[in-house]
Amino acid sequence: MTRFVNVGIAAGLLVSAASHGYLYLHGYRYIPAIGSGFLFLTAVSVALAIVIALGGPGWLRVVALLVSLGALGAFALSRTVGVMGFIERGWEAPHGPISVLAEAITVALCAWSLLRRGSVVPAGHFQ
């Protein structure tokens, strides 16, 4: 089951990365601070996806969870109060809905897998 969940998390991260990478290449790279954020998110998501798919340590699911929650939060902020002066309108179909769905699936799978294990960090790790 863990292997299946890891592949699902990796797939969600890769779909989000592909969407953000596409948007970076097709105009977002020219938006100060936002463009580099899209590029950074793409790179981090691809790296996490590869390591998680290959069976990396469980704590990487916490990182994937935080990355996806951050992307969802930035999406919500960009459509409400703005992010560093950047405000977006609408859903930028198909990339808005695709990335939100991919990130939501990633969050759900990460949270489920972490709750199922009962602990994020092995006992005694920080003692």
Side-chain angles (χ1 to χ4, degrees):
M1 181 62 88
T2 300
R3 184 82 173 137
F4 177 74
V5 172
N6 284 349
V7 169
I9 292 168
L13 289 166
L14 287 175
V15 168
S16 175
S19 185
H20 285 92
Y22 176 88
L23 290 171
Y24 171 81
L25 292 173
H26 292 91
Y28 280 58
R29 70 177 147 194
Y30 301 111
I31 304 170
I34 301 301
S36 58
F38 271 56
L39 185 59
F40 182 75
L41 179 61
T42 299
V44 168
S45 295
V46 168
L48 280 170
I50 291 169
V51 177
I52 289 171
L54 293 174
W59 60 265
L60 285 175
R61 284 180 257 158
V62 176
V63 176
L65 175 69
L66 295 174
V67 166
S68 292
L69 284 172
L72 286 169
F75 183 87
L77 287 173
S78 73
R79 271 120 184 105
T80 55
V81 297
V83 177
M84 294 182 268
F86 175 74
I87 297 177
E88 186 77 63
R89 301 283 181 232
W91 279 79
E92 293 296 315
H95 296 285
I98 288 171
S99 63
V100 167
L101 181 60
E103 290 151 4
I105 289 170
T106 302
V107 166
L109 288 173
C110 287
W112 179 78
S113 71
L114 293 168
L115 291 172
R116 186 175 65 93
R117 291 178 80 205
S119 174
V120 174
V121 179
H125 187 72
F126 287 108
Q127 293 178 355

